[in-house]
Amino acid sequence: MANAEKSADNLVTAITDARPRSGKKLILIGAAALLLAGGGAGAWWMMRGGPGAAHAEKPKPPAAPLFVELEPFTVNLAGDHVLQTSVSLQVATSEDADQLKLYQPVVKSRMLLLLSSKTAEALQAPQGKEALAAEVADALKQPYVKGLTPPAIGGVYLTAFVIQ
């Protein structure tokens, strides 16, 4: 019988050891695993660019600038001076460049009339050259023929400028 009691005691001990323990430990392990998975998912989300990154369009690079280079001008200024200059015009589209080339005699005439009205003193200072570039842009933005849309000129660049 003593053997039976030992056997029964061992059975009772085995049953008590096998019964479920407190669920706190299991809950903590589950919460830690959930936290790690959430942190990993959040890091992945941020690395790929966040919300809408897959649908966001990359900005297009700006279009290459178009320039129309006018023939060099040699003109008598008001007074006893001569101006020799080269001008490049920045235009918006190839159609604007084509229009400037097509109406080149009109462009040249407007340029010569404008340049010959200036004095050497007015053009010596940087402000005089800047004012001249603005006036050239205004003169060339006027329609060349009635009903024709004038070219869009984005900039006037004096690439050579000599007063004698």
Side-chain angles (χ1 to χ4, degrees):
M1 215 169 177
N3 239 354
E5 280 182 27
K6 270 190 177 185
S7 202
D9 282 340
N10 284 341
L11 186 60
V12 170
T13 306
I15 290 174
T16 20
D17 285 345
R19 103 178 147 193
R21 294 189 182 154
S22 167
K24 288 182 183 178
K25 194 173 192 179
L26 186 60
I27 291 173
L28 284 175
I29 291 173
L34 187 62
L35 225 115
L36 285 174
W44 173 79
W45 182 269
M46 295 304 282
M47 291 292 235
R48 78 176 198 49
H55 303 293
E57 293 182 23
K58 293 181 181 175
K60 294 180 181 177
L66 293 172
F67 292 97
V68 175
E69 190 163 335
L70 302 179
E71 293 177 12
F73 289 93
T74 303
V75 62
N76 290 324
L77 297 174
D80 279 341
H81 295 282
V82 175
L83 171 66
Q84 191 173 28
T85 186
S86 294
V87 178
S88 292
L89 305 171
Q90 185 175 1
V91 294
T93 64
S94 59
E95 289 81 16
D96 293 332
D98 292 341
Q99 184 177 2
L100 285 168
K101 291 173 187 172
L102 182 64
Y103 290 96
Q104 191 172 16
V106 177
V107 171
K108 282 180 163 183
S109 175
R110 290 182 184 180
M111 290 287 297
L112 289 172
L113 290 172
L114 178 65
L115 293 172
S116 64
S117 69
K118 301 296 176 188
T119 64
E121 294 76 27
L123 297 176
Q124 291 289 342
Q127 297 85 1
K129 292 176 184 76
E130 291 170 3
L132 176 64
E135 289 177 36
V136 167
D138 290 341
L140 298 181
K141 286 180 183 177
Q142 302 303 315
Y144 299 125
V145 180
K146 189 175 183 176
L148 180 68
T149 304
I153 297 174
V156 175
Y157 302 98
L158 303 172
T159 55
F161 200 85
V162 177
I163 297 175
Q164 295 177 342

